[in-house]
Amino acid sequence: MLYYLFQYLDKTLDVPGTGVFQYITFRSGLAIILSLMISTIFGKRVINYLRRLQIGETVRELGLEGQTQKAGTPTMGGLIIIFSTLIPVLLLAKLDNIYVMLLIVTTLWMGTIGFIDDYIKIFKKDKEGLKGIFKVIGQVGLGLIVGSVLYFHPAVTVRTDTSTTDIFKTGAVVSAVAKEEKSTATTIPFFKNNEMDYAELLAWTGDNYKDYAWLIFIPVVIFIITAVSNGANLTDGIDGLAAGTSAISVLTLGIFAFVSGNIIFSNYLNIMYIPNSGEMTVYIAAFVGSLIGFLWYNTYPATVFMGDTGSLTIGGIIAVLAIAVRKELLIPVLCGIFLAENLSVVLQVSYFKYTKKKYGEGRRIFLMSPLHHHYQKKGYHESKIVTRFWIVAILLSIFSLVSLKLR
């Protein structure tokens, strides 16, 4: 909203200094500061309100050290993340940008699913929460919306060959004539010719195969959103783990969004140019600020938990960001913590069922899954586990950024 106000002041009334709002970097800086202030200052009030409503965490007995002390800690703290993100975005971002609109829808959609799940757990006293099938239906529904918009909306275009884009300089202004096109192209990390078009998977069907690329693209979007949101949900098991690792991954995606949405940087780095995607940087800055602000209260010992309201929302946003900047194939590296947590559960359950069927007695690979609980069982303190997972997340993010040039 403020963006449009200052645009009017600059273009119509020619008020000095108001043109600075045209710059994504300036608005991103304001967004992260504002979201940090909202999440830290008003976060305490939200926590006190949740405590008054007795919206506390119900802890299952898993035999973990310090577990019983967490009982009664306010949950649904994901509301802090959601509001601290959306308020700066509504004030500072271009709300008619298709990518920003998709991210707002994702935030509200996944936040609603998570809120319903937490509500059932707390107020209905049902530890299972929302049934898994309904969660999946919600995730698939979001995947259909995101996939359809990214495929069919005319404003979603890319330019894969940035080297032939006409770039010229007039005075102090650098201009570009980009030849964008509708495409389902994505980036294969660490390969020299690193663009892959999902449509090519249907080349065997005939000359009009590109008309049916949505049959591949939309299911891929659905799978990624479902997988990443569930991965974030599993990671949210100890104080500060999900919020911290997510902030690191989202910040990395912010760099990708900024350079991909800038014709000069994309040309220099020889990467795919995605018009209008740079505006996502404002949203990402607000999101990172809200996650860091939430960590003020969520680090050990946590005074609030994000609940599914936060974890499902975080996973959905990361998935949509990665898909929008055409870096979804980098998710196994960038979100390696989520992947490890997911795999630990899958391997544990599969191996237990296999050995029970074969030997009559179930056996385990890990002391407990998800993976962070395995280290808790080994005697590591929560803070040490979280800090080391953050370090791994930083290394994975650096490795992901290196993919811009290392091919």
Side-chain angles (χ1 to χ4, degrees):
M1 298 176 185
L2 287 179
Y3 168 79
Y4 297 102
L5 172 62
F6 279 86
Q7 185 182 44
Y8 172 77
L9 294 174
D10 179 48
K11 301 295 183 182
T12 307
L13 303 181
D14 198 25
V15 177
T18 53
V20 72
F21 264 76
Q22 300 298 316
Y23 295 99
I24 290 174
T25 49
F26 178 78
R27 288 184 286 122
S28 297
L30 282 183
I32 196 169
I33 293 170
L34 185 56
S35 61
L36 266 169
M37 291 176 62
I38 294 171
S39 55
T40 52
I41 296 173
F42 293 98
K44 185 64 175 178
R45 298 184 182 182
V46 174
I47 294 168
N48 291 334
Y49 179 71
L50 294 172
R51 189 175 285 115
R52 284 198 301 271
L53 293 179
Q54 297 183 334
I55 301 177
E57 183 76 9
T58 302
V59 178
R60 291 183 297 172
E61 182 54 50
L62 300 174
L64 298 171
E65 183 181 352
Q67 179 189 12
T68 55
Q69 285 82 357
K70 296 179 183 291
T73 302
T75 187
M76 282 191 181
L79 292 171
I80 299 172
I81 298 172
I82 292 172
F83 290 126
S84 300
T85 300
L86 290 182
I87 292 172
V89 167
L90 294 175
L91 288 174
L92 300 169
K94 293 182 182 178
L95 300 181
D96 58 347
N97 181 282
I98 186 60
Y99 296 108
V100 172
M101 286 190 284
L102 267 183
L103 289 169
I104 292 173
V105 169
T106 299
T107 304
L108 295 174
W109 187 287
M110 296 303 291
T112 300
I113 295 172
F115 181 85
I116 293 171
D117 185 54
D118 288 334
Y119 182 87
I120 293 173
K121 288 177 182 176
I122 295 165
F123 293 101
K124 301 297 181 182
K125 306 300 180 183
D126 184 351
K127 293 181 181 179
E128 298 302 319
L130 185 65
K131 293 188 182 297
I133 183 64
F134 294 117
K135 282 186 185 179
V136 172
I137 289 173
Q139 291 163 335
V140 170
L142 178 63
L144 282 171
I145 294 171
V146 173
S148 299
V149 170
L150 290 178
Y151 182 81
F152 292 107
H153 198 283
V156 180
T157 57
V158 299
R159 173 64 173 166
T160 55
D161 186 8
T162 57
S163 62
T164 59
T165 301
D166 297 324
I167 301 175
F168 54 91
K169 187 172 183 180
T170 306
V173 180
V174 178
S175 305
V177 179
K179 302 171 184 177
E180 303 94 19
E181 60 182 359
K182 291 293 295 179
S183 174
T184 53
T186 190
T187 305
I188 305 176
F190 307 111
F191 281 81
K192 188 172 183 179
N193 299 315
N194 63 341
E195 278 85 29
M196 179 198 77
D197 195 334
Y198 289 112
E200 296 296 333
L201 299 175
L202 295 174
W204 55 274
T205 60
D207 295 336
N208 297 324
Y209 67 92
K210 288 189 176 181
D211 296 336
Y212 303 99
W214 62 272
L215 292 171
I216 299 291
F217 181 73
I218 293 178
V220 167
V221 171
I222 292 172
F223 172 77
I224 292 170
I225 289 175
T226 303
V228 178
S229 58
N230 286 329
N233 190 231
L234 287 172
T235 305
D236 181 34
I238 52 179
D239 301 348
L241 180 57
T245 53
S246 298
I248 294 165
S249 299
V250 172
L251 185 60
T252 305
L253 287 170
I255 296 172
F256 283 128
F258 184 73
V259 298
S260 297
N262 186 296
I263 186 63
I264 306 298
F265 289 139
S266 59
N267 180 66
Y268 173 74
L269 294 169
N270 193 24
I271 60 173
M272 192 184 301
Y273 169 57
I274 309 172
N276 306 314
S277 65
E279 191 65 25
M280 288 190 290
T281 311
V282 179
Y283 181 98
I284 291 167
F287 190 43
V288 170
S290 67
L291 288 171
I292 296 173
F294 179 76
L295 274 174
W296 184 269
Y297 302 105
N298 187 236
T299 49
Y300 183 87
T303 55
V304 66
F305 299 139
M306 66 173 66
D308 283 16
T309 305
S311 60
L312 288 176
T313 303
I314 288 171
I317 291 171
I318 290 175
V320 173
L321 283 172
I323 295 165
V325 297
R326 313 295 172 114
K327 295 292 186 294
E328 66 270 21
L329 297 183
L330 197 59
I331 286 177
V333 178
L334 179 61
C335 300
I337 299 296
F338 292 174
L339 178 63
E341 299 277 28
N342 253 329
L343 281 178
S344 68
V345 173
V346 172
L347 290 173
Q348 185 87 319
V349 173
S350 301
Y351 187 71
F352 186 86
K353 289 181 177 179
Y354 169 75
T355 53
K356 187 172 184 179
K357 183 178 180 180
K358 185 172 183 179
Y359 304 110
E361 179 185 8
R363 301 175 183 176
R364 293 175 173 83
I365 300 173
F366 305 100
L367 297 177
M368 183 181 287
S369 64
L371 187 61
H372 55 264
H373 286 326
H374 169 76
Y375 290 108
Q376 278 187 284
K377 282 285 190 180
K378 292 187 73 173
Y380 289 91
H381 192 273
E382 278 191 48
S383 296
K384 178 168 285 190
I385 298 169
V386 170
T387 303
R388 288 183 175 178
F389 273 47
W390 285 357
I391 293 170
V392 172
I394 291 170
L395 291 173
L396 292 173
S397 293
I398 293 171
F399 194 51
S400 299
L401 287 172
V402 167
S403 69
L404 287 170
K405 293 301 288 182
L406 184 61
R407 304 173 195 168

